[in-house]
Amino acid sequence: MALTRREMLAGLGAGLALAGPVWSGTTLGAMRIDTLSDGNLALPGDFIFGPMPQQALTPILRKYDLDRDSLTPGCNLTLLRDGQRTVLFDAGAGPDFQPSAGKLQAAFDALGLSPDDITHVVVTHGHPDHIWGLLDDFGDPLFAEATHLIGATELDYWLDDTTVDTIGPARQAFAVGAKRRLEALGDRITTFTDGAEILPGVLAHASFGHTPGHMSFELRSGTDAMMVVGDAIGNHHVAFERPSWPSGSDQDVDTAAATRLRLLDRLSTEQMRLIGFHLPGGLGRAEAHGDGYVFLPEAT
């Protein structure tokens, strides 16, 4: 079924009701790529909207049928299977963050997978909805057979003893939780830097700002590619419509805005598919539209 842009925007504003814990799937050469639901978050509107120009924000809220005071963004993990490796991008929220999140096991069940089938866990950044699922209910590594890969800058930030004192009171629990989980993984962790091919066909791109060492990942097979953007593009509404606006969800708002603009320009110019952690259904494209962009979900 072909959708007009107006119908897509209306569907996105209403949450783009997508059935089941496995929301979309596609192929890229020999890779099978699925987006898996980990449930959703429940956030106060100010967590994103607080620093934005409120008068200009109002028509965007209306356009996407958004509540100014509360948000319930979905959480999408990316799974890559190439016949040799089963790679999970981020680990979800686990049982200890929010009751509406941490639902990854339902997606695993739908695919006939268990945590022991994961060969690699690739981390975009250390926020709770992305890494608190690294440990099981007993505090042991959930993905016991996996190598865990994270950017060196990001790992250093969360392991730094001073982070809990400098991150700000609203995020101190983030710092405590990240440090505990990353320390528990110990030598299971491998680090990398910007531009590294961390796995065959998986290239790391620095996309700092949302956190100090946030990473995105270009998946490539020949001339075809897609980008796992994590939270570098954190929603389907203001992040696309006004990517230069400061977002309360970003730790460094200026760097994050510059990163969004750079990513959206590249993705729209090259018509490269993207998967966003909080984009409805995960998979889609960015298209230049007026003074900003629009997210076009890919039907699968």
Side-chain angles (χ1 to χ4, degrees):
M1 178 178 65
L3 298 179
T4 66
R5 180 182 288 108
R6 179 180 298 276
E7 290 167 335
M8 287 180 176
L9 293 176
L12 289 169
L16 195 70
L18 295 163
V22 181
W23 282 358
S24 60
T26 188
T27 57
L28 187 71
M31 304 176 192
R32 168 72 187 186
I33 298 163
D34 294 288
T35 56
L36 313 182
S37 173
D38 192 47
N40 66 270
L41 302 182
L43 303 173
D46 273 347
F47 186 77
I48 291 176
F49 301 138
M52 296 179 178
Q54 298 300 300
Q55 187 172 354
L57 174 64
T58 298
I60 297 175
L61 298 177
R62 188 178 303 118
K63 177 179 180 179
Y64 289 88
D65 193 25
L66 296 170
D67 185 340
R68 171 61 181 79
D69 297 323
S70 63
L71 290 165
T72 55
C75 301
N76 313 302
L77 283 70
T78 301
L79 183 75
L80 183 159
R81 291 174 286 178
D82 65 3
Q84 299 182 53
R85 286 161 287 270
T86 300
V87 183
L88 187 66
F89 291 83
D90 291 327
D96 298 327
F97 185 46
Q98 292 189 355
S100 57
K103 311 299 185 183
L104 179 61
Q105 187 59 50
F108 276 12
D109 290 344
L111 293 174
L113 294 174
S114 79
D116 286 347
D117 293 320
I118 302 300
T119 62
H120 300 81
V121 177
V122 178
V123 174
T124 62
H125 67 293
H127 280 169
D129 49 330
H130 296 257
I131 69 163
W132 280 23
L134 288 171
L135 304 184
D136 63 19
D137 292 341
F138 302 98
D140 296 322
L142 176 62
F143 305 100
E145 305 301 318
T147 298
H148 296 69
L149 300 100
I150 185 171
T153 299
E154 187 75 355
L155 181 65
D156 289 346
Y157 175 74
W158 294 110
L159 292 183
D160 189 332
D161 289 335
T162 67
T163 294
V164 69
D165 298 317
T166 58
I167 197 172
R171 289 187 169 96
Q172 282 183 332
F174 291 14
V176 173
K179 192 171 192 290
R180 181 171 79 84
R181 287 162 175 80
L182 293 170
E183 286 180 339
L185 291 176
D187 60 7
R188 297 170 186 265
I189 297 177
T190 298
T191 60
F192 56 86
T193 55
D194 181 33
E197 186 175 25
I198 62 171
L199 293 167
V202 181
L203 188 68
H205 289 286
S207 47
F208 298 171
H210 183 69
T211 60
H214 187 289
M215 285 284 183
S216 298
F217 301 95
E218 180 180 342
L219 314 182
R220 179 167 291 278
S221 177
T223 59
D224 197 11
M226 68 174 57
M227 189 78 74
V228 178
V229 301
D231 282 3
I233 304 173
N235 58 71
H236 66 279
H237 36 83
V238 288
F240 281 81
E241 293 269 352
R242 296 292 184 267
S244 64
W245 282 3
S247 172
S249 65
D250 296 328
Q251 292 185 222
D252 181 337
V253 295
D254 293 335
T255 300
T259 292
R260 270 193 302 279
L261 287 162
R262 173 174 52 80
L263 276 172
L264 286 166
D265 177 68
R266 180 183 178 192
L267 291 166
S268 62
T269 299
E270 298 183 14
Q271 280 296 286
M272 185 188 299
R273 290 178 292 173
L274 73 149
I275 301 175
F277 194 86
H278 296 300
L279 301 182
L283 180 64
R285 296 181 187 271
E287 182 179 284
H289 182 58
D291 295 332
Y293 299 85
V294 65
F295 175 61
L296 302 179
E298 183 169 309
T300 56

